[in-house]
Tab-separated table of all heavy atoms in Angstrom:
chain	number	residue	atom	x	y	z
A	13	ARG	N	6.834	15.685	12.797
A	13	ARG	CA	6.365	15.900	14.172
A	13	ARG	C	7.068	14.955	15.152
A	13	ARG	O	7.393	15.341	16.273
A	13	ARG	CB	4.862	15.723	14.269
A	13	ARG	CG	4.066	16.716	13.485
A	13	ARG	CD	4.176	18.092	14.056
A	13	ARG	NE	3.424	19.015	13.233
A	13	ARG	CZ	3.832	20.219	12.909
A	13	ARG	NH1	4.987	20.661	13.338
A	13	ARG	NH2	3.095	20.994	12.156
A	50	THR	N	4.355	21.678	23.680
A	50	THR	CA	4.141	22.281	22.351
A	50	THR	C	4.302	21.230	21.258
A	50	THR	O	3.511	21.195	20.309
A	50	THR	CB	5.119	23.454	22.138
A	50	THR	OG1	4.877	24.443	23.156
A	50	THR	CG2	4.959	24.073	20.770
A	52	ILE	N	3.878	17.968	21.592
A	52	ILE	CA	2.742	17.041	21.659
A	52	ILE	C	1.522	17.692	21.005
A	52	ILE	O	0.818	17.055	20.210
A	52	ILE	CB	2.422	16.641	23.119
A	52	ILE	CG1	3.576	15.878	23.764
A	52	ILE	CG2	1.138	15.778	23.160
A	52	ILE	CD1	3.408	15.683	25.267
A	53	GLU	N	1.250	18.955	21.335
A	53	GLU	CA	0.101	19.643	20.746
A	53	GLU	C	0.198	19.691	19.229
A	53	GLU	O	-0.796	19.458	18.523
A	53	GLU	CB	0.009	21.069	21.278
A	53	GLU	CG	-0.647	21.194	22.626
A	53	GLU	CD	-0.814	22.632	23.031
A	53	GLU	OE1	0.086	23.472	22.755
A	53	GLU	OE2	-1.854	22.922	23.658
A	54	ALA	N	1.382	19.989	18.717
A	54	ALA	CA	1.566	20.042	17.258
A	54	ALA	C	1.322	18.674	16.638
A	54	ALA	O	0.683	18.554	15.581
A	54	ALA	CB	2.974	20.549	16.916
A	55	HIS	N	1.807	17.651	17.307
A	55	HIS	CA	1.583	16.268	16.845
A	55	HIS	C	0.095	15.959	16.819
A	55	HIS	O	-0.431	15.451	15.820
A	55	HIS	CB	2.327	15.297	17.770
A	55	HIS	CG	1.892	13.875	17.644
A	55	HIS	ND1	2.238	13.075	16.574
A	55	HIS	CD2	1.125	13.106	18.468
A	55	HIS	CE1	1.700	11.880	16.747
A	55	HIS	NE2	1.021	11.882	17.885
A	56	VAL	N	-0.594	16.272	17.902
A	56	VAL	CA	-2.031	15.995	17.998
A	56	VAL	C	-2.795	16.762	16.923
A	56	VAL	O	-3.638	16.208	16.232
A	56	VAL	CB	-2.566	16.331	19.417
A	56	VAL	CG1	-4.087	16.286	19.456
A	56	VAL	CG2	-1.972	15.375	20.440
A	57	ASP	N	-2.490	18.055	16.780
A	57	ASP	CA	-3.170	18.879	15.765
A	57	ASP	C	-2.972	18.287	14.376
A	57	ASP	O	-3.903	18.269	13.568
A	57	ASP	CB	-2.659	20.308	15.791
A	57	ASP	CG	-3.102	21.082	17.029
A	57	ASP	OD1	-4.003	20.591	17.756
A	57	ASP	OD2	-2.535	22.163	17.286
A	58	GLU	N	-1.778	17.812	14.110
A	58	GLU	CA	-1.446	17.274	12.789
A	58	GLU	C	-2.141	15.931	12.534
A	58	GLU	O	-2.837	15.757	11.545
A	58	GLU	CB	0.068	17.089	12.664
A	58	GLU	CG	0.533	16.562	11.334
A	58	GLU	CD	0.448	17.609	10.248
A	58	GLU	OE1	0.790	18.771	10.500
A	58	GLU	OE2	0.025	17.242	9.129
A	59	VAL	N	-1.957	14.988	13.443
A	59	VAL	CA	-2.451	13.636	13.166
A	59	VAL	C	-3.933	13.469	13.417
A	59	VAL	O	-4.566	12.598	12.812
A	59	VAL	CB	-1.656	12.535	13.920
A	59	VAL	CG1	-0.178	12.579	13.531
A	59	VAL	CG2	-1.850	12.610	15.417
A	60	GLU	N	-4.531	14.308	14.281
A	60	GLU	CA	-5.962	14.192	14.551
A	60	GLU	C	-6.818	15.106	13.679
A	60	GLU	O	-8.051	15.090	13.798
A	60	GLU	CB	-6.263	14.469	16.029
A	60	GLU	CG	-5.832	13.358	16.967
A	60	GLU	CD	-6.368	13.516	18.365
A	60	GLU	OE1	-7.292	14.337	18.591
A	60	GLU	OE2	-5.855	12.826	19.259
A	61	ALA	N	-6.206	15.878	12.807
A	61	ALA	CA	-6.975	16.732	11.898
A	61	ALA	C	-7.879	15.863	11.029
A	61	ALA	O	-7.619	14.672	10.823
A	61	ALA	CB	-6.033	17.555	11.028
A	62	ASN	N	-8.941	16.470	10.521
A	62	ASN	CA	-9.873	15.730	9.653
A	62	ASN	C	-9.163	15.084	8.472
A	62	ASN	O	-9.585	14.033	7.997
A	62	ASN	CB	-10.989	16.644	9.164
A	62	ASN	CG	-11.939	17.018	10.287
A	62	ASN	OD1	-12.050	16.323	11.278
A	62	ASN	ND2	-12.622	18.136	10.113
A	63	ASP	N	-8.098	15.714	8.008
A	63	ASP	CA	-7.317	15.158	6.897
A	63	ASP	C	-5.937	14.668	7.364
A	63	ASP	O	-5.020	14.532	6.589
A	63	ASP	CB	-7.161	16.180	5.780
A	63	ASP	CG	-6.413	17.432	6.230
A	63	ASP	OD1	-6.241	17.631	7.446
A	63	ASP	OD2	-6.004	18.215	5.359
A	64	GLY	N	-5.847	14.364	8.668
A	64	GLY	CA	-4.582	13.943	9.253
A	64	GLY	C	-4.317	12.462	9.076
A	64	GLY	O	-5.117	11.710	8.513
A	87	HIS	N	-3.331	10.755	23.560
A	87	HIS	CA	-2.865	12.130	23.323
A	87	HIS	C	-3.309	13.049	24.461
A	87	HIS	O	-2.510	13.835	24.984
A	87	HIS	CB	-3.433	12.671	22.002
A	87	HIS	CG	-2.823	12.057	20.804
A	87	HIS	ND1	-3.495	11.971	19.609
A	87	HIS	CD2	-1.601	11.508	20.584
A	87	HIS	CE1	-2.716	11.400	18.719
A	87	HIS	NE2	-1.571	11.101	19.286
Side-chain angles (χ1 to χ4, degrees):
R13 296 291 179 221
T50 300
I52 297 169
E53 279 185 322
H55 164 74
V56 170
D57 290 347
E58 181 73 41
V59 300
E60 288 191 14
N62 290 337
D63 61 346
H87 288 153

